Amino acid sequence: YERIHEAMSNQKEYMSYEEYLVKLKQGIVTENGNCPVTPLLVMLQGKWKAQLMYEMCIYDTVRFGQLKKDLPGITNTMLTKSLRELEEDGLIRREQFNEIPPHVEYSLTQMGKDLIPVFYAIMNWGFQHENELYKEEQS
């Protein structure tokens, strides 16, 4: 909770939620005329990246093997590809340790940590709509 609160308090508020609701109908763009939402949606495209980023929020640092355990069904190739793309996008950091045995650790960059409040909002949405989302499993 403290990490979430810290991440949320460090966020610059560009507009209140009430202002957002009004401006949303007019279309919201950055100072350069770009959509402020599209870049993140592109970064998290695909089956695994959003789940991978959520897992990354759990750990301060994590190794490949732990992520593989936490994401049943992901292949080594897809995990490697997703980690590389998230690193290229600046959301995660890869640190290689040339020790015996050598190993690699992954962690969130500040830009990645700034997504913690976003995942918090998504979590709340998931709890709010849990019955509709999982109604087929309950039958």
Side-chain angles (χ1 to χ4, degrees):
Y1 173 78
E2 288 178 25
R3 284 182 20 188
I4 292 171
H5 180 69
E6 180 183 328
M8 289 178 77
S9 63
N10 290 338
Q11 296 288 316
K12 179 179 177 184
E13 189 172 299
Y14 291 92
M15 65 183 75
S16 71
Y17 185 67
E18 290 76 21
E19 290 173 297
Y20 166 77
L21 291 176
V22 170
K23 291 185 177 189
L24 180 62
K25 299 299 182 190
Q26 302 161 1
I28 300 171
V29 295
T30 65
E31 290 177 6
N32 297 325
N34 300 314
C35 174
V37 176
T38 300
L40 177 62
L41 296 179
V42 170
M43 286 181 204
L44 297 181
Q45 263 181 323
K47 179 178 180 180
W48 296 105
K49 285 193 201 171
Q51 293 176 64
L52 180 54
M53 281 300 297
Y54 182 74
E55 290 298 325
M56 293 292 300
C57 290
I58 295 169
Y59 301 102
D60 289 327
T61 60
V62 64
R63 293 187 184 184
F64 185 94
Q66 184 64 51
L67 292 169
K68 181 88 166 88
K69 285 181 200 171
D70 292 345
L71 296 167
I74 194 169
T75 64
N76 287 348
T77 303
M78 185 53 71
L79 180 53
T80 299
K81 180 180 185 292
S82 298
L83 287 166
R84 282 188 185 142
E85 289 174 3
L86 291 169
E87 183 184 9
E88 288 171 11
D89 289 335
L91 297 176
I92 65 171
R93 174 181 306 107
R94 180 185 188 275
E95 187 173 1
Q96 185 168 330
F97 295 87
N98 295 324
E99 305 168 344
I100 307 284
H103 66 276
V104 174
E105 291 181 349
Y106 298 91
S107 59
L108 292 174
T109 62
Q110 187 56 54
M111 190 164 68
K113 289 177 184 176
D114 289 343
L115 286 173
I116 292 173
V118 174
F119 283 107
Y120 175 72
I122 292 169
M123 177 200 69
N124 283 328
W125 181 88
F127 280 127
Q128 181 180 353
H129 297 284
E130 183 177 14
N131 291 335
E132 298 111 292
L133 296 170
Y134 297 104
K135 67 182 170 195
E136 289 179 13
E137 293 177 14
Q138 295 168 0
S139 302

